[in-house]
Amino acid sequence: MNVLVLDDEKEIADLVELYLKNENYTVYKFYESREAIECINTKKLDFAILDVMIKGVDGFEICKYIRDKGLKFPVIMLTAKIQDKDKIEGLTLGADDYITKPFNPLELVARVKSAVRRYTKYNEKSEDEKIYIDGLEMNEDKHECLLYDQKVELTPLEFDILLYLAKHKGCVVPSEELFENVWKEKYLDSNNTIMVHIRRIREKLNEDTKKPKFIKTVWGVGYKIE
């Protein structure tokens, strides 16, 4: 697996590289955003770990660049910033996860493996299974989402969220249950992570935010598709 690592703090970049190489990942390590962008354009990547506060083109912009190119591989943001608004910005731009410095390298490796499992599952073949909900079609076999026969471009994480809600049509899915079944981790986060991803999915489904057709918010509990 080819992993892009971008951080202008050399000690951190070198440490991340060491731990990833110990897991037999191929690492493309850069201290400058310009070189990282060139790598994105010339290499087949499977993962990206991006420092937010980097000189030149920052991590947020590079994350957006990756998604604008139609690349769906997982992206983890590294940052010393801890404000919720910064975390929300990264997730809104298409990041899959967000780790605050200083961090435990073993935790980072665990987060990488978790995201890789989701991405691999997204691209694997399984039994053909389709779910139809009033113009929305979820094809689990092809990992494809159609809205009125038009393809909706979802990241693997967004697809898993929508699929889980669709499979539990008519039921209220608590935020904790949704997080633990999609992320495969203990629910310790605030609701912001789920909220931001739900917002992105709604935008891609052209939902009316005041009166969404598909994903309903059950305040204080979670979400449901009726």
Side-chain angles (χ1 to χ4, degrees):
M1 189 176 79
N2 298 328
V3 183
L4 168 69
V5 175
L6 172 64
D7 199 310
D8 57 5
E9 295 184 64
K10 294 186 177 183
E11 296 81 3
I12 291 179
D14 293 347
L15 185 64
V16 171
E17 177 188 36
L18 175 63
Y19 274 80
L20 292 178
K21 282 189 171 181
N22 285 341
E23 298 294 328
N24 296 316
Y25 297 151
T26 299
V27 179
Y28 295 96
K29 177 185 64 178
F30 302 101
Y31 308 126
E32 297 180 4
S33 54
R34 178 182 54 82
E35 295 175 340
I37 292 172
E38 183 178 346
C39 179
I40 293 167
N41 290 331
T42 58
K43 302 292 185 181
K44 184 183 182 302
L45 298 173
D46 303 295
F47 209 104
I49 299 173
L50 308 174
D51 179 25
V52 171
M53 301 297 290
I54 195 166
K55 295 177 182 177
V57 183
D58 67 28
F60 287 147
E61 293 177 87
I62 294 177
C63 179
K64 183 177 185 301
Y65 181 74
I66 289 170
R67 295 303 183 227
D68 286 347
K69 284 177 67 67
L71 300 172
K72 297 182 179 180
F73 56 74
V75 175
I76 288 180
M77 310 297 293
L78 300 180
T79 183
K81 303 174 74 174
I82 59 175
Q83 292 90 345
D84 275 351
K85 66 180 182 63
D86 298 311
K87 181 174 182 179
I88 290 171
E89 181 177 356
L91 296 173
T92 300
L93 292 172
D96 294 84
D97 208 345
Y98 201 99
I99 298 181
T100 304
K101 300 176 184 178
F103 56 85
N104 184 330
L106 293 176
E107 178 189 355
L108 174 62
V109 170
R111 298 279 193 96
V112 169
K113 288 182 176 180
S114 177
V116 168
R117 282 195 299 272
R118 283 197 302 269
Y119 184 68
T120 302
K121 178 184 174 184
Y122 180 82
N123 288 283
E124 281 179 347
K125 290 288 183 180
S126 58
E127 290 185 9
D128 188 16
E129 183 176 343
K130 295 181 181 180
I131 300 174
Y132 298 94
I133 305 174
D134 196 19
L136 179 68
E137 177 184 327
M138 303 287 295
N139 188 320
E140 189 171 6
D141 175 39
K142 296 181 179 178
H143 294 273
E144 185 176 68
C145 176
L146 301 177
L147 181 62
Y148 307 122
D149 295 324
Q150 298 297 314
K151 188 174 181 179
V152 180
E153 294 291 346
L154 300 175
T155 67
L157 189 57
E158 291 165 353
F159 184 90
D160 282 353
I161 292 170
L162 188 56
L163 180 65
Y164 192 85
L165 292 173
K167 283 185 172 181
H168 294 80
K169 177 186 175 185
C171 301
V172 178
V173 178
S175 298
E176 180 176 352
E177 177 186 335
L178 182 59
F179 185 91
E180 293 185 354
N181 279 274
V182 173
W183 273 261
K184 306 299 183 187
E185 296 177 11
K186 185 67 178 175
Y187 182 74
L188 299 173
D189 198 1
S190 69
N191 195 39
N192 281 337
T193 299
I194 295 175
M195 179 187 71
V196 172
H197 285 291
I198 292 290
R199 183 193 304 162
R200 283 180 55 82
I201 295 169
R202 282 173 171 161
E203 288 174 356
K204 292 181 178 183
L205 295 178
N206 299 315
E207 291 267 60
D208 181 345
T209 55
K210 294 183 179 179
K211 193 176 181 181
K213 177 179 179 181
F214 296 107
I215 305 176
K216 312 287 186 181
T217 299
V218 181
W219 296 107
V221 183
Y223 302 92
K224 73 172 180 177
I225 293 181
E226 295 180 338

